PDB file of all heavy atoms in Angstrom:
ATOM      1  N   PHE A 975      96.349 132.008 114.599  1.00 95.00           N
ATOM      2  CA  PHE A 975      97.613 131.233 114.700  1.00 95.00           C
ATOM      3  C   PHE A 975      98.878 132.058 114.535  1.00 95.00           C
ATOM      4  O   PHE A 975      99.976 131.522 114.609  1.00 95.00           O
ATOM      5  CB  PHE A 975      97.668 130.068 113.695  1.00 95.00           C
ATOM      6  CG  PHE A 975      96.402 129.258 113.628  1.00 95.00           C
ATOM      7  CD1 PHE A 975      95.650 129.218 112.456  1.00 95.00           C
ATOM      8  CD2 PHE A 975      95.954 128.558 114.732  1.00 95.00           C
ATOM      9  CE1 PHE A 975      94.480 128.485 112.392  1.00 95.00           C
ATOM     10  CE2 PHE A 975      94.781 127.823 114.681  1.00 95.00           C
ATOM     11  CZ  PHE A 975      94.045 127.780 113.508  1.00 95.00           C
ATOM     12  N   GLU A 977     100.880 136.203 115.062  1.00 93.00           N
ATOM     13  CA  GLU A 977     100.908 137.363 115.946  1.00 93.00           C
ATOM     14  C   GLU A 977     101.007 138.642 115.110  1.00 93.00           C
ATOM     15  O   GLU A 977     101.665 138.661 114.073  1.00 93.00           O
ATOM     16  CB  GLU A 977     102.080 137.196 116.916  1.00 93.00           C
ATOM     17  CG  GLU A 977     102.161 138.209 118.019  1.00 93.00           C
ATOM     18  CD  GLU A 977     102.777 139.491 117.553  1.00 93.00           C
ATOM     19  OE1 GLU A 977     103.710 139.419 116.714  1.00 93.00           O
ATOM     20  OE2 GLU A 977     102.314 140.556 117.989  1.00 93.00           O
ATOM     21  N   GLU A 979     102.403 141.747 115.495  1.00 92.00           N
ATOM     22  CA  GLU A 979     103.616 142.542 115.249  1.00 92.00           C
ATOM     23  C   GLU A 979     104.448 141.950 114.113  1.00 92.00           C
ATOM     24  O   GLU A 979     105.005 142.675 113.291  1.00 92.00           O
ATOM     25  CB  GLU A 979     104.478 142.645 116.510  1.00 92.00           C
ATOM     26  CG  GLU A 979     105.573 143.684 116.349  1.00 92.00           C
ATOM     27  CD  GLU A 979     106.769 143.441 117.231  1.00 92.00           C
ATOM     28  OE1 GLU A 979     107.638 142.616 116.858  1.00 92.00           O
ATOM     29  OE2 GLU A 979     106.859 144.061 118.290  1.00 92.00           O
ATOM     30  N   SER A 980     104.506 140.615 114.059  1.00 94.00           N
ATOM     31  CA  SER A 980     105.261 139.976 112.965  1.00 94.00           C
ATOM     32  C   SER A 980     104.637 140.321 111.620  1.00 94.00           C
ATOM     33  O   SER A 980     105.338 140.617 110.652  1.00 94.00           O
ATOM     34  CB  SER A 980     105.262 138.461 113.119  1.00 94.00           C
ATOM     35  OG  SER A 980     105.592 138.090 114.407  1.00 94.00           O
ATOM     36  N   CYS A 998     102.099 142.160 121.840  1.00 77.00           N
ATOM     37  CA  CYS A 998     103.495 142.438 121.501  1.00 77.00           C
ATOM     38  C   CYS A 998     103.687 143.830 120.914  1.00 77.00           C
ATOM     39  O   CYS A 998     104.775 144.383 120.982  1.00 77.00           O
ATOM     40  CB  CYS A 998     104.007 141.413 120.491  1.00 77.00           C
ATOM     41  SG  CYS A 998     103.758 139.731 121.038  1.00 77.00           S
ATOM     42  N   ARG A1001     103.231 148.834 124.247  1.00 70.00           N
ATOM     43  CA  ARG A1001     104.363 149.020 125.154  1.00 70.00           C
ATOM     44  C   ARG A1001     104.148 148.244 126.444  1.00 70.00           C
ATOM     45  O   ARG A1001     105.072 147.750 127.063  1.00 70.00           O
ATOM     46  CB  ARG A1001     104.517 150.516 125.475  1.00 70.00           C
ATOM     47  CG  ARG A1001     104.969 151.306 124.290  1.00 70.00           C
ATOM     48  CD  ARG A1001     106.387 151.821 124.502  1.00 70.00           C
ATOM     49  NE  ARG A1001     106.898 152.358 123.251  1.00 70.00           N
ATOM     50  CZ  ARG A1001     107.132 153.646 123.054  1.00 70.00           C
ATOM     51  NH1 ARG A1001     106.924 154.500 124.021  1.00 70.00           N
ATOM     52  NH2 ARG A1001     107.600 154.068 121.903  1.00 70.00           N
ATOM     53  N   LEU A1003     102.650 145.508 126.691  1.00 73.00           N
ATOM     54  CA  LEU A1003     102.586 144.087 126.362  1.00 73.00           C
ATOM     55  C   LEU A1003     101.280 143.434 126.812  1.00 73.00           C
ATOM     56  O   LEU A1003     101.267 142.320 127.344  1.00 73.00           O
ATOM     57  CB  LEU A1003     103.792 143.336 126.944  1.00 73.00           C
ATOM     58  CG  LEU A1003     105.155 143.841 126.446  1.00 73.00           C
ATOM     59  CD1 LEU A1003     106.282 143.109 127.128  1.00 73.00           C
ATOM     60  CD2 LEU A1003     105.283 143.707 124.941  1.00 73.00           C
ATOM     61  N   GLN A1020      95.810 138.317 119.679  1.00 93.00           N
ATOM     62  CA  GLN A1020      97.229 138.434 119.331  1.00 93.00           C
ATOM     63  C   GLN A1020      97.409 138.580 117.826  1.00 93.00           C
ATOM     64  O   GLN A1020      98.406 139.130 117.367  1.00 93.00           O
ATOM     65  CB  GLN A1020      97.984 137.188 119.798  1.00 93.00           C
ATOM     66  CG  GLN A1020      98.436 137.254 121.215  1.00 93.00           C
ATOM     67  CD  GLN A1020      99.481 138.315 121.400  1.00 93.00           C
ATOM     68  OE1 GLN A1020      99.201 139.493 121.435  1.00 93.00           O
ATOM     69  NE2 GLN A1020     100.729 137.900 121.483  1.00 93.00           N
ATOM     70  N   ARG A1049     103.669 132.423 105.502  1.00 97.00           N
ATOM     71  CA  ARG A1049     105.042 132.291 105.995  1.00 97.00           C
ATOM     72  C   ARG A1049     105.069 132.218 107.525  1.00 97.00           C
ATOM     73  O   ARG A1049     105.765 131.391 108.112  1.00 97.00           O
ATOM     74  CB  ARG A1049     105.813 133.513 105.492  1.00 97.00           C
ATOM     75  CG  ARG A1049     107.176 133.672 106.071  1.00 97.00           C
ATOM     76  CD  ARG A1049     107.838 134.859 105.427  1.00 97.00           C
ATOM     77  NE  ARG A1049     109.041 135.211 106.164  1.00 97.00           N
ATOM     78  CZ  ARG A1049     109.907 136.108 105.759  1.00 97.00           C
ATOM     79  NH1 ARG A1049     109.690 136.764 104.642  1.00 97.00           N
ATOM     80  NH2 ARG A1049     110.986 136.368 106.464  1.00 97.00           N
ATOM     81  N   GLN A1052     103.659 128.906 108.774  1.00 96.00           N
ATOM     82  CA  GLN A1052     104.609 127.795 108.639  1.00 96.00           C
ATOM     83  C   GLN A1052     105.568 127.776 109.827  1.00 96.00           C
ATOM     84  O   GLN A1052     106.163 126.756 110.142  1.00 96.00           O
ATOM     85  CB  GLN A1052     105.399 127.903 107.328  1.00 96.00           C
ATOM     86  CG  GLN A1052     104.571 127.655 106.069  1.00 96.00           C
ATOM     87  CD  GLN A1052     103.671 126.441 106.154  1.00 96.00           C
ATOM     88  OE1 GLN A1052     104.089 125.377 106.583  1.00 96.00           O
ATOM     89  NE2 GLN A1052     102.398 126.588 105.762  1.00 96.00           N
ATOM     90  N   MET A1053     105.699 128.922 110.468  1.00 96.00           N
ATOM     91  CA  MET A1053     106.603 129.046 111.611  1.00 96.00           C
ATOM     92  C   MET A1053     105.878 128.814 112.929  1.00 96.00           C
ATOM     93  O   MET A1053     106.498 128.760 113.976  1.00 96.00           O
ATOM     94  CB  MET A1053     107.143 130.491 111.627  1.00 96.00           C
ATOM     95  CG  MET A1053     108.619 130.622 111.451  1.00 96.00           C
ATOM     96  SD  MET A1053     109.037 132.374 111.637  1.00 96.00           S
ATOM     97  CE  MET A1053     109.086 132.868 109.936  1.00 96.00           C
ATOM     98  N   PRO A1055     103.828 127.225 115.968  1.00 94.00           N
ATOM     99  CA  PRO A1055     103.487 125.946 116.610  1.00 94.00           C
ATOM    100  C   PRO A1055     101.977 125.789 116.770  1.00 94.00           C
ATOM    101  O   PRO A1055     101.472 124.662 116.773  1.00 94.00           O
ATOM    102  CB  PRO A1055     104.192 126.034 117.973  1.00 94.00           C
ATOM    103  CG  PRO A1055     104.431 127.480 118.219  1.00 94.00           C
ATOM    104  CD  PRO A1055     104.556 128.139 116.876  1.00 94.00           C
ATOM    105  N   ALA A1058     100.730 124.472 113.496  1.00 93.00           N
ATOM    106  CA  ALA A1058     101.129 123.066 113.341  1.00 93.00           C
ATOM    107  C   ALA A1058     100.160 122.172 114.110  1.00 93.00           C
ATOM    108  O   ALA A1058      99.699 121.148 113.600  1.00 93.00           O
ATOM    109  CB  ALA A1058     102.557 122.881 113.834  1.00 93.00           C
ATOM    110  N   LYS A1062      97.525 119.400 112.476  1.00 89.00           N
ATOM    111  CA  LYS A1062      97.660 117.996 112.835  1.00 89.00           C
ATOM    112  C   LYS A1062      96.414 117.446 113.495  1.00 89.00           C
ATOM    113  O   LYS A1062      96.017 116.300 113.260  1.00 89.00           O
ATOM    114  CB  LYS A1062      98.855 117.806 113.770  1.00 89.00           C
ATOM    115  CG  LYS A1062     100.159 117.657 113.014  1.00 89.00           C
ATOM    116  CD  LYS A1062     101.349 117.596 113.948  1.00 89.00           C
ATOM    117  CE  LYS A1062     102.602 118.023 113.232  1.00 89.00           C
ATOM    118  NZ  LYS A1062     103.623 118.514 114.151  1.00 89.00           N
TER     119      LYS A1062
ATOM    120  N   TYR B1348     114.165 147.685 116.860  1.00 93.00           N
ATOM    121  CA  TYR B1348     115.004 146.485 116.816  1.00 93.00           C
ATOM    122  C   TYR B1348     116.362 146.762 116.185  1.00 93.00           C
ATOM    123  O   TYR B1348     116.474 147.558 115.249  1.00 93.00           O
ATOM    124  CB  TYR B1348     114.304 145.387 116.018  1.00 93.00           C
ATOM    125  CG  TYR B1348     113.091 144.813 116.716  1.00 93.00           C
ATOM    126  CD1 TYR B1348     111.890 144.632 116.033  1.00 93.00           C
ATOM    127  CD2 TYR B1348     113.143 144.434 118.051  1.00 93.00           C
ATOM    128  CE1 TYR B1348     110.779 144.100 116.662  1.00 93.00           C
ATOM    129  CE2 TYR B1348     112.032 143.895 118.694  1.00 93.00           C
ATOM    130  CZ  TYR B1348     110.860 143.726 118.001  1.00 93.00           C
ATOM    131  OH  TYR B1348     109.770 143.193 118.621  1.00 93.00           O
ATOM    132  N   MET B1357     113.826 138.593 109.445  1.00 96.00           N
ATOM    133  CA  MET B1357     113.504 138.511 108.017  1.00 96.00           C
ATOM    134  C   MET B1357     113.966 137.181 107.407  1.00 96.00           C
ATOM    135  O   MET B1357     113.329 136.673 106.492  1.00 96.00           O
ATOM    136  CB  MET B1357     114.145 139.675 107.248  1.00 96.00           C
ATOM    137  CG  MET B1357     113.595 141.053 107.591  1.00 96.00           C
ATOM    138  SD  MET B1357     111.808 141.221 107.381  1.00 96.00           S
ATOM    139  CE  MET B1357     111.657 141.130 105.602  1.00 96.00           C
ATOM    140  N   VAL B1362     113.988 127.052 110.850  1.00 97.00           N
ATOM    141  CA  VAL B1362     112.555 126.978 111.123  1.00 97.00           C
ATOM    142  C   VAL B1362     112.055 125.588 110.750  1.00 97.00           C
ATOM    143  O   VAL B1362     112.454 125.046 109.716  1.00 97.00           O
ATOM    144  CB  VAL B1362     111.778 128.015 110.297  1.00 97.00           C
ATOM    145  CG1 VAL B1362     110.273 127.828 110.494  1.00 97.00           C
ATOM    146  CG2 VAL B1362     112.178 129.419 110.659  1.00 97.00           C
ATOM    147  N   GLU B1364     110.200 121.539 112.032  1.00 96.00           N
ATOM    148  CA  GLU B1364     110.146 120.477 113.037  1.00 96.00           C
ATOM    149  C   GLU B1364     111.131 119.398 112.626  1.00 96.00           C
ATOM    150  O   GLU B1364     111.503 119.304 111.469  1.00 96.00           O
ATOM    151  CB  GLU B1364     108.729 119.900 113.113  1.00 96.00           C
ATOM    152  CG  GLU B1364     107.714 120.888 113.637  1.00 96.00           C
ATOM    153  CD  GLU B1364     106.291 120.349 113.592  1.00 96.00           C
ATOM    154  OE1 GLU B1364     106.124 119.118 113.745  1.00 96.00           O
ATOM    155  OE2 GLU B1364     105.377 121.162 113.396  1.00 96.00           O
ATOM    156  N   GLU B1373     108.863 123.035 124.977  1.00 95.00           N
ATOM    157  CA  GLU B1373     107.863 124.051 124.629  1.00 95.00           C
ATOM    158  C   GLU B1373     107.745 125.049 125.783  1.00 95.00           C
ATOM    159  O   GLU B1373     107.631 124.639 126.937  1.00 95.00           O
ATOM    160  CB  GLU B1373     106.526 123.353 124.386  1.00 95.00           C
ATOM    161  CG  GLU B1373     105.469 124.216 123.752  1.00 95.00           C
ATOM    162  CD  GLU B1373     104.156 123.453 123.534  1.00 95.00           C
ATOM    163  OE1 GLU B1373     104.170 122.477 122.760  1.00 95.00           O
ATOM    164  OE2 GLU B1373     103.151 123.843 124.147  1.00 95.00           O
ATOM    165  N   GLY B1380     101.498 136.098 124.763  1.00 76.00           N
ATOM    166  CA  GLY B1380     102.011 136.645 123.514  1.00 76.00           C
ATOM    167  C   GLY B1380     102.920 135.720 122.740  1.00 76.00           C
ATOM    168  O   GLY B1380     102.767 135.579 121.545  1.00 76.00           O
ATOM    169  N   LYS B1400     109.697 126.126 116.102  1.00 97.00           N
ATOM    170  CA  LYS B1400     108.502 126.826 115.624  1.00 97.00           C
ATOM    171  C   LYS B1400     108.146 127.877 116.654  1.00 97.00           C
ATOM    172  O   LYS B1400     108.199 127.613 117.854  1.00 97.00           O
ATOM    173  CB  LYS B1400     107.335 125.851 115.443  1.00 97.00           C
ATOM    174  CG  LYS B1400     107.530 124.951 114.230  1.00 97.00           C
ATOM    175  CD  LYS B1400     106.258 124.793 113.434  1.00 97.00           C
ATOM    176  CE  LYS B1400     106.588 124.336 112.026  1.00 97.00           C
ATOM    177  NZ  LYS B1400     105.385 124.010 111.261  1.00 97.00           N
ATOM    178  N   THR B1401     107.798 129.070 116.199  1.00 95.00           N
ATOM    179  CA  THR B1401     107.526 130.172 117.121  1.00 95.00           C
ATOM    180  C   THR B1401     106.280 130.945 116.715  1.00 95.00           C
ATOM    181  O   THR B1401     106.079 131.255 115.546  1.00 95.00           O
ATOM    182  CB  THR B1401     108.737 131.124 117.180  1.00 95.00           C
ATOM    183  OG1 THR B1401     109.803 130.458 117.835  1.00 95.00           O
ATOM    184  CG2 THR B1401     108.423 132.405 117.944  1.00 95.00           C
ATOM    185  N   PHE B1402     105.454 131.232 117.727  1.00 94.00           N
ATOM    186  CA  PHE B1402     104.310 132.129 117.581  1.00 94.00           C
ATOM    187  C   PHE B1402     104.664 133.349 118.394  1.00 94.00           C
ATOM    188  O   PHE B1402     104.875 133.251 119.607  1.00 94.00           O
ATOM    189  CB  PHE B1402     103.058 131.433 118.156  1.00 94.00           C
ATOM    190  CG  PHE B1402     101.872 132.345 118.372  1.00 94.00           C
ATOM    191  CD1 PHE B1402     100.925 132.503 117.376  1.00 94.00           C
ATOM    192  CD2 PHE B1402     101.684 132.999 119.577  1.00 94.00           C
ATOM    193  CE1 PHE B1402      99.811 133.321 117.584  1.00 94.00           C
ATOM    194  CE2 PHE B1402     100.572 133.814 119.780  1.00 94.00           C
ATOM    195  CZ  PHE B1402      99.633 133.972 118.776  1.00 94.00           C
ATOM    196  N   GLY B1403     104.810 134.491 117.746  1.00 91.00           N
ATOM    197  CA  GLY B1403     105.160 135.668 118.523  1.00 91.00           C
ATOM    198  C   GLY B1403     105.652 136.810 117.682  1.00 91.00           C
ATOM    199  O   GLY B1403     105.598 136.771 116.456  1.00 91.00           O
ATOM    200  N   CYS B1404     106.177 137.810 118.382  1.00 90.00           N
ATOM    201  CA  CYS B1404     106.566 139.052 117.733  1.00 90.00           C
ATOM    202  C   CYS B1404     107.888 138.884 117.000  1.00 90.00           C
ATOM    203  O   CYS B1404     108.505 137.819 117.023  1.00 90.00           O
ATOM    204  CB  CYS B1404     106.679 140.158 118.774  1.00 90.00           C
ATOM    205  SG  CYS B1404     107.987 139.869 119.954  1.00 90.00           S
ATOM    206  N   GLY B1405     108.365 139.951 116.402  1.00 92.00           N
ATOM    207  CA  GLY B1405     109.624 139.929 115.682  1.00 92.00           C
ATOM    208  C   GLY B1405     110.773 139.487 116.560  1.00 92.00           C
ATOM    209  O   GLY B1405     111.621 138.689 116.139  1.00 92.00           O
ATOM    210  N   ASN B1444     111.483 146.230 127.163  1.00 82.00           N
ATOM    211  CA  ASN B1444     110.196 145.617 127.536  1.00 82.00           C
ATOM    212  C   ASN B1444     109.996 144.235 126.894  1.00 82.00           C
ATOM    213  O   ASN B1444     109.104 143.503 127.260  1.00 82.00           O
ATOM    214  CB  ASN B1444     109.025 146.547 127.197  1.00 82.00           C
ATOM    215  CG  ASN B1444     108.875 146.768 125.700  1.00 82.00           C
ATOM    216  OD1 ASN B1444     109.808 146.540 124.939  1.00 82.00           O
ATOM    217  ND2 ASN B1444     107.712 147.202 125.270  1.00 82.00           N
ATOM    218  N   LYS B1445     110.872 143.898 125.929  1.00 83.00           N
ATOM    219  CA  LYS B1445     110.721 142.607 125.254  1.00 83.00           C
ATOM    220  C   LYS B1445     111.682 141.564 125.814  1.00 83.00           C
ATOM    221  O   LYS B1445     111.620 140.403 125.430  1.00 83.00           O
ATOM    222  CB  LYS B1445     110.999 142.775 123.748  1.00 83.00           C
ATOM    223  CG  LYS B1445     110.050 143.703 123.061  1.00 83.00           C
ATOM    224  CD  LYS B1445     109.049 142.945 122.244  1.00 83.00           C
ATOM    225  CE  LYS B1445     107.981 143.881 121.717  1.00 83.00           C
ATOM    226  NZ  LYS B1445     107.249 143.331 120.630  1.00 83.00           N
TER     227      LYS B1445
END
Side-chain angles (χ1 to χ4, degrees):
Chain A
F975 315 116
E977 188 279 324
E979 192 205 82
S980 312
C998 306
R1001 291 249 169 112
L1003 301 177
Q1020 275 293 76
R1049 171 177 168 172
Q1052 291 314 314
M1053 243 185 263
K1062 275 175 204 156
Chain B
Y1348 290 133
M1357 294 304 291
V1362 175
E1364 293 175 32
E1373 192 180 297
K1400 287 223 160 173
T1401 291
F1402 167 92
C1404 65
N1444 65 341
K1445 298 255 172 162

